[in-house]
Structure formats: C-alpha cells, structure tokens
Amino acid sequence: MTDADYMDQALHEAEDALARGDWPVGSVLVRDGVVLATGQNRQNTESDVTWHAEFEALRRATREHGAAMLAGATVYSTMEPCPMCAGAMKLAGIARLVLGARHATLRRTDLGTYSIETFCRMAGYDLALTTGVASASARSSAAAGAKIPFAHPSASVATCRSDAQGDCTPGIRRAE
C-alpha cells in the first residue's frame, strides 16, 4: 500500500466522523506495512475534548498491540495533529507523520500560529513529515464539494519547510 492508500483510509474515517456529527478528522497508524489501528474524532458524540482521531488510534494500537509496537510507526492524519496529539505521538515514539490538511490552510485561529514544525522545534521531536499526499477519494470528494479536510490534489509530496540552504527546519527531518 502507498501513502495515498493509507490517507484514503484516514479520509474514510473522517467521513464516518462527520456523518456521526463529529469533526471530520481521521487517522491511521501503520508500522511495517501493517495497520495497527484507526481513529476518528469523537469530541461531540463522546462529550470529550480529548477524543481526537490521532489519540484514538494511539490508544487502540497500544491496547491491541502494546506500547512498544508504536515506536517507529507512521501516523496518517487528515488534519494537522494538535499539540496534545503531537505530544502523545512524541511520547509513543511515532517516527513519521503523513499529513493532510494544515490548520493554517483551513484558516483555523483557535491554535494561533501553531504548526507541527513549531511543536517539533519546541519539544525536540525528530519527526519525519510528509505533506501533500492526496488520495483518489480526496480528489473526488473535492470535486464533489465535500467539506472534508484533505491534501490539495495538485500538491506534490513535500517533506518539510527548509531554509535557503535546503536544510530542514530544526526538529523536522526530511521523510524518505
């Protein structure tokens, strides 16, 4: 399976969350080509502000496979993980994030100028970051006018912001 395939699975999780009345965010946790768990935002239906998609996937994977299985895994998320989820990913040893929509792109203001790169610099989190992955479902949802967070279909696979010399921002390393 490819990054786009896993992002497609995360998008289906987001669609389920939206249909249920929750925020349209989905997450898939993968290690060595095996899906350890999926997650959906359930903040509204569970009346729990901490019930984010990434958190649910981390919890489920830990319960089903043990905490050690999370180290080195990849999280696919339809929306940029918040600071709480990013902290949990760091503690779990998540090595890579494949990211759909950015908070800034969605014009979210509730987290100020937050970005995953900012969190990684602040927390000393060595996270490989891949952005711009658009699945076939994301493209068709966009064409149909669905309001589901997704990577822009014309985006290329980018890995991280870099300075003029091409070096990655501290705390983020280029994904391969």
Side-chain angles (χ1 to χ4, degrees):
M1 288 188 53
T2 67
D3 283 347
D5 294 328
Y6 291 122
M7 188 58 77
D8 190 49
Q9 189 173 355
L11 183 67
H12 287 295
E13 297 293 327
E15 290 168 343
D16 289 348
L18 181 64
R20 189 180 51 249
D22 286 299
W23 294 102
V25 182
S27 183
V28 177
L29 183 58
V30 178
R31 181 170 175 200
D32 300 326
V34 175
V35 174
L36 299 178
T38 61
Q40 299 175 4
N41 181 288
R42 297 177 192 275
Q43 285 179 271
N44 296 331
T45 54
E46 295 295 330
S47 300
D48 182 345
V49 297
T50 68
W51 208 310
H52 294 190
E54 301 88 352
F55 232 62
E56 181 178 57
L58 291 167
R59 285 177 182 144
R60 290 181 63 208
T62 300
R63 286 185 192 125
E64 294 172 21
H65 303 283
M69 284 296 292
L70 279 65
T74 298
V75 168
Y76 294 82
S77 185
T78 60
M79 185 183 291
E80 190 167 13
C82 74
M84 174 187 72
C85 292
M89 288 168 50
K90 179 181 190 289
L91 292 173
I94 300 301
R96 181 173 176 241
L97 171 64
V98 179
L99 178 58
R102 295 268 193 175
H103 292 286
T105 303
L106 297 172
R107 297 185 179 160
R108 286 186 64 179
T109 58
D110 57 322
L111 294 175
T113 60
Y114 169 81
S115 70
I116 190 68
E117 292 90 346
T118 303
F119 176 86
C120 290
R121 278 193 306 273
M122 180 193 75
Y125 184 12
D126 184 26
L127 177 68
L129 176 64
T130 301
T131 61
V133 175
S135 70
S137 288
R139 287 190 290 273
S140 64
S141 292
K147 296 186 178 190
I148 303 288
F150 63 93
H152 190 277
S154 65
S156 61
V157 176
T159 52
C160 62
R161 287 188 301 185
S162 60
D163 63 20
Q165 290 78 36
D167 294 327
C168 271
T169 303
I172 301 286
R173 59 187 161 79
R174 291 187 189 279
E176 297 177 14

